[in-house]
């Protein structure tokens, strides 16, 4: 099958080793968006400069970039470099993510850059760094999943969120692998599993400690492995001693019989994997929760064994590469720390600047947004590839903060809800219109190829950053050519943790991608990590004692239920792209909240009625989707919509102390019926369209 956008050559899936030619519904429909009438094709500026309520008008690049540079210069004078902030995304290519990080440090001199990966991968990344000394989503190729005889999947629903990866899970299931899925909903992934554990949201850490407690008592500890390859086990053993199975059952709602069965399946299988995703990680204790599952994996001796280990299932297209090359507040390219003098010296040399010119660490995504307009905070913000008004927690507060900016510039393909609030909007190229590399969840660096030029008038982000740098007097440090940028990235990453020094576009082509670390052109790359040693100073993995903490919000009389949020198969992220795809719209245009029929009956809610969800932060309206697959005390809302059906009007912005991840997956909620099946949801606009149709109407 081939996918043909109107303006493009046919795009054919190739027989790539990770997805083996498979595309999900969003992949098949993505070409529709290349030529969509909503596509931004010219910069937009306000008719009244400085008044973000005045309409947009089309502008030249000259004018738009001029306004941005004026705003930056003004802010630099008034507030110094930290007054300008950059917000990036895990969908950017490695080249663009690298360039954005360098732009912040070299062109602006600001410590304030962070990205949407803080909402995505940061908890698992932080835990993996602590435990293994390295953060690569999977320390083995995805195809290894098919050969694992047991898999514990915690808060992960690949059947809907990674359909092309599901073939490896299905292959394992077909030959009798035991799959245990931990999810408060009977998700599409849970449906085909051996065992489904349905805990209360936010109790995954206690569950892991309970499993480890049982494993120790049952004699499943791999004592030789723990002695030879790890440190810190005694403290963990002492910590889990108090997590008796019935105590865990009371807290999580998972029966002691199911807890024991889970341990038995994992401990007796010849190979076993423990995989977490956002269901376990997007909590105010997400880092410790991921750590608790790592502790379990280490106790069973899994990491480094064939077809075994711990991994996290990365989300966005370049979720992995996007966090390796400097988009993060505390980071320099190659996954180096910005507060490490040796790292600063190395990167400054590659960049041709003095190490003292490099700013220090900034703050995380949510903190950056929270501090907008404050002393020492950000006054001018540049957003690339994120729709924060829809995807950040507590969006009413986020909107409020964005309103406090002196100036907001957003680069996007479409006028997102966030772009709609900007002073200047820049149209950008999308995936099929540019060259670059991405690094997938396996740590495999792959190429993205240009198959058609961007629409007339559209520039890609690399070019825009180079042009802005030029106007700021720093043009000599920047290139707009992806290959040149990649060559520099290789040098900047050399010797770092995520070492790309030996990876070239040619090798990527010849080898179907190259796994980092790959320190030299004749190095084969590293598909599997940890066989001999971990990336810590002493080569041992670290057990770390972690204890359950209740979520920041517990159900009470006013907000009696638990709200969790996540994804449906047909929509992608903030929906800025998929809400516009005709084929997906037909199948899932109506935002629905899942609730149990018993809960619905108690509240007088019928199928397809309109339901209002209310939390301490806001309200949102969804259509009722009654399903006995969800816990009766829990409701599930997808976050793909803005407007009146915005799940993030509800969510809790409490941050994990280590990763700064918000608690997207648990808060207290009140539920009531506000309309019947025939009613239309009030004011649920589709994605905003430009007030001005640049291509057709001009
Ligand atoms: N269709 C689609 N696919 C996507 C995306 C998309 O938007 N749409 N986004 C991509 C991105 S960026 C990401 S990060 C991945 C995310 O991929 P996943 O992590 O698989 O997706 P989620 O739906 O966020 O969460 C997974 C499951 O966690 C469950 N869950 C909720 N709360 C809890 C809890 O407290 N504990 C446990 N154990 N489970 C819980 C939910 O019911 C859900 O089924 O998907 C990627 N793929
Ligand atoms: N309640 C709740 N909220 C969540 C989550 C949840 O589970 N529950 N999950 C969180 C997670 S895991 C994630 S990853 C975030 C994602 O949330 P966002 O960061 O908002 O991600 P997207 O919707 O993918 O936004 C990407 C935007 O960039 C544009 N874009 C695409 N490619 C490019 C490009 O190359 N350049 C530029 N300039 N723009 C581009 C797209 O059109 C889109 O508007 O949401 C988080 N928010
Ligand atoms: Mo994500």
């Amino acid at each position: 099958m081939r996918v043909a956008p109107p303006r493009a050559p046919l795009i054919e899936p190739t027989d790539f080793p990770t997805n083996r030619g498979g595309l999900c519904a969003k992949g098949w429909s993505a070409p529709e968006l290349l030529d969509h009438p909503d596509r931004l094709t010219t910069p937009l500026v306000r008719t009244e400069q400085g008044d973000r309520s005045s309409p947009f008008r089309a502008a030249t690049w000259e004018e738009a970039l001029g306004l941005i540079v004026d705003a930056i210069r003004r802010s630099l004078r008034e507030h110094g470099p930290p007054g300008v902030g950059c917000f990036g995304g895990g969908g950017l290519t490695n080249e663009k993510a690298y360039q954005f990080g360098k732009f912040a440090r070299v062109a602006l001199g600001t410590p304030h850059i962070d990205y949407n990966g803080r909402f995505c991968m940061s908890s698992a990344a932080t835990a993996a760094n602590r435990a293994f000394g390295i953060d690569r989503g999977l320390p083995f190729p995805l195809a290894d999943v098919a050969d694992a005889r047991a898999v514990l999947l915690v808060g992960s629903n690949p059947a809907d969120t990674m359909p092309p990866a599901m073939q490896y899970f299905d292959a394992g299931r077909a030959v009798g692998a035991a799959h245990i899925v931990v999810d408060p909903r009977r998700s599409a992934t849970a449906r085909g599993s051996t065992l489904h554990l349905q805990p209360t949201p936010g109790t995954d850490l206690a569950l892991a400690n309970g499993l480890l407690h049982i494993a120790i008592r049952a004699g499943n500890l791999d004592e030789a492995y723990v002695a030879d390859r790890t440190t810190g086990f005694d403290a963990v053993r002492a910590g889990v001693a108090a997590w008796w199975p019935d105590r865990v059952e009371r807290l999580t709602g998972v029966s002691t019989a199911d807890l024991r069965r889970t341990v038995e399946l994992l401990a007796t299988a010849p190979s076993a994997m423990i995989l977490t995703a956002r269901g376990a990680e997007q909590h105010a204790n997400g880092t410790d929760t991921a750590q608790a599952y790592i502790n379990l994996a280490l106790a069973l001796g899994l990491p480094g064994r064939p077809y075994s280990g711990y991994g996290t299932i990365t989300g966005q297209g370049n979720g992995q590469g996007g966090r390796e090359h400097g988009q993060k507040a505390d980071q320099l390219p190659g996954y180096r720390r910005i507060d490490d003098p040796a790292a600063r010296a190395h990167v400054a040399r590659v960049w041709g600047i003095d190490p003292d010119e490099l700013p220090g660490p900034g703050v995380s995504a949510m903190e950056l947004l929270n501090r907008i307009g404050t002393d020492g905070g950000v006054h001018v913000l540049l957003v690339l590839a994120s729709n924060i008004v829809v995807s950040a927690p507590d969006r009413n507060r986020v909107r409020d903060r964005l309103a406090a900016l002196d100036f907001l510039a957003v680069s996007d393909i479409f006028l997102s809800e966030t772009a709609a609030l900007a002073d200047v909007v820049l149209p950008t190229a999308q995936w099929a219109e540019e060259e670059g590399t991405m690094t997938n969840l396996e740590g495999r660096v792959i190429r993205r190829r240009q198959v058609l030029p961007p629409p007339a008038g559209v520039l890609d982000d690399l070019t825009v950053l180079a042009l802005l740098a030029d106007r700021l007097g720093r043009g000599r440090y920047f290139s707009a050519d992806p290959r040149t940028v990649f060559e520099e990235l290789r040098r900047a990453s050399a010797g770092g943790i995520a070492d790309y020094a030996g990876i070239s576009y040619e090798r990527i082509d010849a080898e179907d991608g190259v796994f980092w670390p790959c320190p030299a052109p004749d190095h084969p790359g590293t598909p599997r990590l940890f066989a001999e040693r971990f990336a810590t100073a002493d080569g041992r993995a670290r057990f770390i004692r972690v204890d359950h903490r209740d979520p920041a919000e517990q159900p009470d009389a006013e907000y009696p239920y638990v709200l969790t949020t996540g994804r449906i198969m047909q929509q992608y992220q903030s929906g800025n792209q998929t809400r516009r795809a005709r084929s997906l719209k037909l199948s899932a245009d109506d935002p629905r909240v899942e609730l149990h029929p018993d809960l619905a009956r108690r509240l007088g809610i019928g199928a397809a009625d309109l339901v209002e969800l209310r939390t301490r932060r806001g309200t949102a309206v969804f259509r009722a989707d009654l399903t006995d697959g969800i816990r009766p005390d829990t409701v599930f809302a997808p976050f793909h919509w803005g407007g009146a059906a915005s799940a993030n009007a509800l969510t809790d912005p409490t941050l994990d102390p280590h990763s700064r991840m918000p608690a997207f997956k648990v808060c207290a909620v009140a539920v009531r019926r506000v309309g019947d099946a025939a009613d239309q949801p009030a004011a649920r606009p589709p994605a905003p369209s430009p007030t001005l149709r640049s291509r057709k109407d001009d």
Side-chain angles (χ1 to χ4, degrees):
M1 217 176 136
R2 303 190 288 185
V3 188
R7 174 169 70 80
L10 288 176
I11 292 172
E12 292 187 64
T14 57
D15 195 24
F16 188 74
T18 305
N19 61 356
R20 290 206 291 210
L23 282 181
C24 71
K26 293 168 300 301
W28 287 113
S29 65
E32 281 178 41
L33 299 175
L34 291 168
D35 206 31
H36 196 283
D38 284 355
R39 208 42 214 279
L40 296 170
T41 55
T42 162
L44 303 176
V45 303
R46 297 290 176 179
T47 49
E48 305 293 329
Q49 238 185 69
D51 176 3
R52 291 197 282 262
S53 65
S54 70
F56 282 120
R57 66 170 169 79
T60 61
W61 279 97
E62 189 64 27
E63 183 184 11
L65 296 180
L67 287 175
I68 296 174
V69 168
D70 287 348
I72 290 173
R73 285 193 192 285
R74 218 176 308 124
S75 182
L76 289 175
R77 274 196 309 275
E78 283 171 32
H79 308 285
V84 186
C86 298
F87 198 105
L92 294 171
T93 59
N94 290 323
E95 289 78 357
K96 295 198 283 189
Y98 168 86
Q99 180 109 313
F100 203 26
K102 181 179 172 188
F103 177 82
R105 278 70 177 236
V106 175
L108 300 172
T110 181
H112 284 143
I113 174 164
D114 215 64
Y115 80 125
N116 69 6
R118 292 281 186 182
F119 302 158
C120 182
M121 306 295 309
S122 59
S123 287
T126 306
N129 275 327
R130 279 195 330 202
F132 305 126
I134 193 169
D135 152 39
R136 202 181 84 182
L138 298 181
F140 40 70
L142 186 61
D144 280 12
V145 167
D147 292 303
R149 303 298 299 160
V151 180
L152 177 65
L153 263 173
V154 194
S156 171
N157 181 18
D160 284 337
T161 58
M162 280 197 96
M166 213 37 211
Q167 60 185 306
Y168 301 110
F169 292 90
D170 290 339
R173 289 175 183 188
V175 294
H179 285 192
I180 307 114
V181 173
V182 183
D183 195 311
R185 301 184 304 141
R186 193 168 61 240
S187 64
T189 309
R191 262 180 250 132
S193 67
T194 316
L195 183 61
H196 175 205
L197 313 182
Q198 233 175 326
T200 311
T203 62
D204 298 277
L205 195 166
L207 186 82
N209 280 353
L211 295 174
L212 182 50
H213 175 108
I214 292 170
I216 294 170
R217 297 216 139 210
N220 298 129
L221 185 66
D222 186 336
E223 287 180 21
Y225 180 99
V226 169
D228 295 345
R229 302 212 52 192
T230 72
T231 60
F233 179 64
D234 289 343
V236 169
R237 182 205 298 266
V240 302
W243 288 99
W244 296 96
D246 26 347
R247 183 175 172 211
V248 176
E249 174 179 304
R250 271 197 309 279
L251 189 90
T252 63
V254 177
S255 73
T256 56
D258 281 351
L259 293 170
R260 288 183 205 285
R261 175 112 193 276
T262 302
V263 172
E264 194 186 314
L265 290 171
L266 281 177
T268 57
S271 53
M273 289 179 180
I274 298 178
L275 304 174
T276 61
R278 304 309 86 71
E281 300 162 10
Q282 288 173 325
H283 292 279
N285 68 352
T287 304
D288 285 354
T289 299
Q291 180 72 48
Y293 286 93
I294 293 172
N295 289 343
L296 178 62
L298 291 172
L300 297 175
L302 303 178
R305 295 260 163 94
Y307 311 113
S308 301
Y310 166 83
T312 177
I313 303 189
T314 306
Q316 305 176 83
N318 197 26
Q320 179 72 45
R323 68 180 187 268
E324 296 168 357
H325 299 294
Q327 260 190 112
K328 253 174 113 180
D330 51 0
Q331 234 180 47
L332 289 172
Y335 223 127
R336 289 184 154 93
R337 292 179 58 116
I338 202 168
D339 58 5
D340 167 9
R344 294 169 66 85
H346 171 80
V347 173
R349 202 174 321 117
V350 174
W351 286 351
I353 61 171
D354 190 297
D356 292 339
E357 285 181 62
L358 284 173
V363 296
S364 75
M366 207 50 212
E367 293 163 295
L368 189 152
L369 298 175
N370 282 339
R371 290 186 197 173
I372 284 174
T374 63
D375 222 16
V378 161
H379 301 269
V380 170
L381 184 64
L382 184 53
V383 178
L384 243 60
S386 183
N387 188 5
I388 39 191
V389 172
V390 176
S391 56
D394 194 2
R395 71 100 195 255
N396 294 336
R397 185 184 153 86
V398 168
R399 274 210 297 228
D400 214 57
R401 290 293 82 217
L402 293 182
L405 283 168
D406 293 339
F407 190 89
L408 173 63
V410 176
S411 158
D412 207 303
I413 298 148
F414 297 115
L415 193 73
S416 67
E417 285 80 357
T418 308
L421 302 178
D423 291 274
V424 171
V425 181
L426 303 175
T428 196
Q430 26 178 350
W431 55 283
E433 299 163 350
E434 58 177 7
E435 290 286 326
T437 61
M438 319 267 274
T439 304
N440 75 3
L441 74 168
E442 310 166 295
R444 189 202 303 250
V445 185
I446 57 182
R447 268 185 83 185
R448 168 186 268 191
R449 280 159 205 294
Q450 188 183 36
V451 293
L452 73 166
V458 170
L459 300 178
D460 61 72
D461 298 312
L462 273 189
T463 304
V464 168
L465 292 173
L467 287 172
L468 285 173
D470 193 42
R471 281 158 196 262
L472 290 164
R474 307 290 272 179
R476 67 183 181 284
Y477 297 102
F478 292 87
S479 163
D481 171 49
R483 200 180 264 270
T484 308
V485 174
F486 188 76
E487 291 303 310
E488 188 187 296
L489 180 161
R490 289 174 65 178
R491 290 197 303 280
S493 75
I497 292 173
D499 191 332
Y500 284 37
I503 305 178
S504 63
Y505 279 18
E506 287 68 28
R507 271 195 74 179
I508 297 173
D509 289 347
E511 298 170 32
D512 270 337
V514 182
F515 291 82
W516 70 259
C518 180
D522 58 358
H523 185 284
T526 317
R528 293 184 180 79
L529 300 168
F530 310 153
E532 321 269 284
R533 66 190 312 276
F534 295 95
T536 51
D538 60 5
R540 289 163 175 261
R542 310 221 179 293
F543 278 99
I544 295 171
R545 176 177 169 163
V546 289
D547 285 306
H548 169 79
R549 295 189 302 275
D550 282 332
E553 280 188 10
Q554 296 281 70
D556 57 17
E558 204 181 347
Y559 302 98
Y561 308 106
V562 176
L563 168 70
T564 190
T565 63
R567 298 159 165 81
I568 59 171
M569 206 254 273
Q570 297 88 343
Q571 296 290 340
Y572 191 69
Q573 310 282 60
S574 74
N576 193 34
Q577 301 172 82
T578 44
R579 276 180 278 136
R580 291 185 161 88
R582 278 178 312 273
S583 46
L584 293 172
K585 246 186 180 160
L586 294 175
S587 45
D589 197 22
D590 211 12
R592 288 168 182 270
V593 58
E594 288 182 19
L595 57 163
H596 195 279
D598 291 348
L599 175 61
R601 204 169 310 119
R602 201 166 344 131
L603 300 174
I605 295 168
D609 281 355
L610 291 183
V611 171
E612 181 197 77
L613 305 184
R614 185 165 48 86
T615 69
R616 292 189 170 82
R617 291 152 296 278
T619 60
V621 176
F622 294 86
R623 207 172 278 294
D625 182 2
L626 305 192
T627 165
D628 66 1
I630 190 164
R631 292 177 56 96
D633 56 4
T634 300
V635 300
F636 171 86
F639 79 103
H640 308 294
W641 285 268
S646 172
N648 279 325
L650 307 167
T651 45
D652 179 2
T654 302
L655 298 180
D656 178 291
H658 310 288
S659 64
R660 322 310 276 168
M661 165 77 80
F664 286 123
K665 289 290 195 270
V666 62
C667 69
V669 68
V671 181
R672 73 183 177 110
R673 180 179 174 281
V674 291
D676 65 27
D679 288 332
Q680 288 306 309
R684 181 176 53 75
S689 285
T691 45
L692 142 173
R693 284 296 162 98
S694 31
R695 219 171 344 169
K696 297 249 158 61
D697 301 355
D698 273 7

